[in-house]
Amino acid sequence: MTDDNVRIFDTTLRDGEQAPGCTMTFEEKLTVARQLARLGVDIIEAGFPVASPGDWAAVHQIAREVGTPSGPVICALAHANRDAIDKAATAIQPAARKRIHVFISTSDTHIEYQLRSTREAVLEKAREMVRYARSLCDDIEFSPMDATRSEPEYMYRVLAAAIEEGATTLNIPDTVGYAAPEEYAELIQGIRENVPGADGVIISTHCHDDLGMAVANSLAGVRAGARQIECTINGIGERAGNASLEEVVMALHTRSQFFGTRSRINTHELARSSRLVSTIIGVPVPPNKAIVGANAFAHESGIHQDGVLKNRETYEIMSAETVGLDGNLLVLGKHSGRHALRNRIESLGYELGEEDFQQVFARFKDLCDRKKTVDDRDIEALIADETQHIPEIYKLEHVQVTSGTGVTPVATVRLRCPDGEARIDSDHGTGPVDAIYKAINRVVQRPTELTEFAINAITEGLDAVAEVTVRIREQGAVDTAEAQRRGPQVYSGYGVNTDTLVAAAEAYVGALNKLVAARQERIKVEAVAYAAGYEKSAAL
Ligand code: KIV
Ligand code: ZN
């Protein structure tokens, strides 16, 4: 291979999205895919099309919209099965550059207990399915699942067969997050030395974080010659997650001499990508998270502050600006007009349609009346809130709460309902938020469970804007094949307001709207997928 850069293979929309509570709607997947393209990832693993018509439709739309000739390669996952490979191939068909990722387990534990098969049968299956995938697509990635617990000599044979049948990338998953960096590096080295043809393909890492070593293992793999890293934004993924994209990218960027290679990622888009995914799935980024956490560049101790003021290099190995946490915050106020706001939004890198812009402008003016200065962080929060495009099935028109010492918190809400009627109801609770949510529940009448509630102040000061993120789990009826397969879903809501309780109410209504919309969307998307070529298949 001539190009020695590390390819960044983003699997936020596949491995990340399949984690409990990280489900995204069709529209949200598209929004993330567009941002991944701006970030400059080399490959987007857009989904697992055979899993459901909804997954197929999302991959198909991403391939159509984001898979432009200058855009990323669009990849679809398939287990070693003809139908799964067919569905992967049809889903990525509109993309200019496409890849099918075929996997089968090679550890004895998986072969015996999960596949109920034998080593020889698995080897043959891998061979046959890679050959079949290659007949449909020129770019084939093959993964021996649970590679780090597979017997190396046997796995070498499977990998050699995959290369013979036309695989162009060999991905080595640490499926259960078991490996240590030295071991993982040895594994990659062993593959390069023992698998015939390995020097003609890209070797890729895919590490889970069960022991907190996913990033270290991925980078150890690069040191041993891997030239693709599979990772996710904020490290989301099965169980403890995958290697975090922002961490591997900044390690390669900051220590490029040590690693002897780099990636093509536009690092200035890292913070925004992290915020976007966090907002969509409703999982806040911990403040101490490397690279994108709120404290990642904060110097608290006096000695550190003193050093940084004298020379940044004393305690900073990279700058906040490099990852898009802009140190250069521009302040706007109530005298700023449409033009100033539009310029600022554009220079922050957002392209808003006229309708979204007008909504953000109205919210910006409203915010300026309540807050002395409005900076980039406030504007980005308003954009995130306004561009969620959650249908306003229920619209919060009014919320009023009484609470304090010695009184039972009581809330009254008025919601505009799907039938056009405005309904008012009240309830009391253990606290003001509980009272609001109970009052909303009395109007909406959807059985759900609140699983998470988080408040964050976007900027400093008493007049700061509050952002509230909630997660609710649906209960009750399953309506489609996808709903049945995935089980109860978690939906997040996001609210931004200078009044924390209003933000809390908005976030909750937003999550309920997502839940109702997702049910409607599942039914619609399944119909669209069937119309666009998705064929019903036997269960997985
Ligand atoms: O972790 C894993 O083994 C996977 C494979 C499908 C590549 O996600
Ligand atoms: Zn995985």
Side-chain angles (χ1 to χ4, degrees):
M1 292 286 155
T2 47
D3 164 11
D4 203 41
N5 281 337
V6 173
R7 285 108 182 118
I8 297 297
F9 176 111
D10 181 276
T11 183
T12 305
L13 294 171
R14 199 279 298 167
D15 213 328
E17 204 262 348
Q18 80 191 36
C22 294
T23 316
M24 299 178 207
T25 64
F26 182 84
E27 277 301 329
E28 288 170 343
K29 287 181 190 173
L30 273 169
T31 306
V32 170
R34 288 185 202 113
Q35 178 58 26
L36 291 174
R38 281 159 62 140
L39 179 62
V41 305
D42 300 279
I43 303 114
I44 295 179
E45 187 164 51
F48 187 25
V50 76
S52 74
D55 283 46
W56 186 92
V59 176
H60 196 247
Q61 191 57 29
I62 290 169
R64 191 196 296 254
E65 226 191 272
V66 184
T68 59
S70 58
V73 173
I74 307 298
C75 174
L77 182 71
H79 61 304
N81 166 288
R82 272 182 181 256
D83 182 44
I85 294 171
D86 283 339
K87 287 201 167 56
T90 52
I92 55 174
Q93 200 278 327
R97 297 189 301 139
K98 33 192 168 260
R99 172 180 298 187
I100 300 178
H101 177 186
V102 180
F103 73 96
I104 190 164
S105 291
T106 51
S107 70
D108 287 336
T109 323
H110 280 211
I111 292 176
E112 190 180 337
Y113 298 109
Q114 194 178 12
L115 301 179
R116 302 206 181 284
S117 186
T118 61
R119 283 190 181 184
E120 288 316 304
V122 164
L123 175 76
E124 269 324 296
K125 188 90 182 160
R127 180 184 283 290
E128 193 193 328
M129 290 302 122
V130 171
R131 185 189 313 140
Y132 181 59
R134 184 61 203 250
S135 73
L136 303 174
C137 180
D138 288 341
D139 183 348
I140 300 298
E141 173 167 327
F142 174 73
S143 291
M145 195 168 179
D146 205 14
T148 51
R149 294 191 302 166
S150 301
E151 202 256 315
E153 297 299 328
Y154 167 66
M155 189 176 65
Y156 297 157
R157 287 173 56 213
V158 179
L159 293 174
I163 294 176
E164 272 170 35
E165 300 302 339
T168 40
T169 300
L170 296 181
N171 178 46
I172 311 302
D174 185 20
T175 305
V176 292
Y178 179 72
E182 290 78 5
E183 269 176 322
Y184 192 73
E186 271 171 31
L187 185 64
I188 300 291
Q189 188 63 35
I191 290 166
R192 294 182 66 204
E193 285 167 4
N194 295 293
V195 175
D199 53 349
V201 299
I202 299 280
I203 313 274
S204 164
T205 68
H206 179 109
C207 299
H208 282 267
D209 206 31
D210 299 67
L211 293 173
M213 294 191 278
V215 169
N217 285 341
S218 307
L219 294 169
V222 167
R223 290 273 287 167
R227 284 296 175 268
Q228 174 176 291
I229 298 181
E230 302 202 351
C231 45
T232 59
I233 302 288
N234 296 340
I236 67 167
E238 286 278 3
R239 307 179 310 278
N242 289 61
S244 132
L245 181 145
E246 48 285 353
E247 292 178 24
V248 294
V249 163
M250 285 312 289
L252 290 174
H253 182 89
T254 311
R255 304 296 312 275
S256 61
Q257 292 221 320
F258 176 74
F259 288 108
T261 178
R262 48 179 68 238
S263 80
R264 297 188 201 85
I265 294 292
N266 174 3
T267 60
H268 296 275
E269 291 290 332
L270 287 171
R272 181 176 310 148
S273 307
S274 162
R275 268 198 302 270
L276 178 73
V277 169
S278 154
T279 306
I280 284 180
I281 62 172
V283 180
V285 175
N288 62 334
K289 163 88 171 65
I291 316 298
V292 289
N295 294 346
F297 294 91
H299 298 280
E300 196 64 42
S301 96
I303 294 178
H304 285 209
Q305 285 179 348
D306 177 57
V308 169
L309 286 174
K310 287 176 177 148
N311 182 334
R312 288 175 84 152
E313 279 183 24
T314 49
Y315 289 96
E316 267 187 18
I317 56 166
M318 56 194 163
S319 72
E321 290 81 3
T322 312
V323 304
L325 287 168
D326 208 338
N328 176 23
L329 294 174
L330 197 94
V331 173
L332 296 173
K334 65 180 187 197
H335 301 297
S336 313
R338 276 190 170 71
H339 192 62
L341 182 66
R342 191 181 281 286
N343 275 349
R344 193 63 205 144
I345 288 175
E346 280 172 8
S347 66
L348 285 169
Y350 293 94
E351 290 159 35
L352 295 193
E354 191 51 31
E355 206 177 310
D356 282 340
F357 174 73
Q358 293 305 345
Q359 300 279 11
V360 171
F361 184 69
R363 299 270 310 263
F364 164 73
K365 279 291 174 192
D366 182 46
L367 185 58
C368 289
D369 284 339
R370 283 179 286 136
K371 192 169 182 281
K372 266 206 287 297
T373 56
V374 175
D375 72 27
D376 293 350
R377 293 166 294 178
D378 296 310
I379 294 169
E380 289 202 312
L382 292 184
I383 294 172
D385 198 16
E386 279 305 325
T387 55
Q388 291 180 85
H389 294 298
I390 305 170
E392 280 202 311
I393 298 169
Y394 293 93
K395 183 172 167 31
L396 180 74
E397 291 187 339
H398 174 84
V399 54
Q400 190 180 339
V401 203
T402 317
S403 81
T405 42
V407 291
T408 302
V410 176
T412 302
V413 298
R414 187 175 69 230
L415 292 174
R416 181 74 49 187
C417 296
D419 59 5
E421 288 288 311
R423 294 203 173 78
I424 300 178
D425 221 320
S426 306
D427 210 332
H428 63 278
T430 49
V433 174
D434 188 42
I436 294 171
Y437 287 9
K438 281 184 174 153
I440 293 173
N441 285 346
R442 289 173 74 95
V443 175
V444 174
Q445 304 266 340
R446 300 260 171 187
T448 56
E449 181 196 345
L450 181 70
T451 58
E452 223 167 289
F453 177 88
I455 306 178
N456 181 33
I458 290 175
T459 49
E460 306 75 22
L462 284 175
D463 63 354
V465 170
E467 78 181 335
V468 173
T469 309
V470 299
R471 277 149 71 86
I472 58 171
R473 183 181 295 126
E474 68 180 345
Q475 292 173 333
V478 279
D479 43 13
T480 62
E482 181 172 358
Q484 239 167 33
R485 180 182 64 82
R486 291 202 175 218
Q489 289 299 288
V490 175
Y491 296 95
S492 63
Y494 177 72
V496 173
N497 204 291
T498 43
D499 184 322
T500 310
L501 293 174
V502 176
E506 284 170 353
Y508 191 61
V509 173
L512 285 166
N513 279 336
K514 259 196 199 175
L515 181 149
V516 179
R519 287 191 174 175
Q520 293 170 353
E521 185 192 91
R522 279 200 296 249
I523 296 166
K524 206 171 73 197
V525 165
E526 290 201 2
V528 170
Y530 286 122
Y534 179 92
E535 280 170 28
K536 222 183 183 87
S537 54
L540 283 177

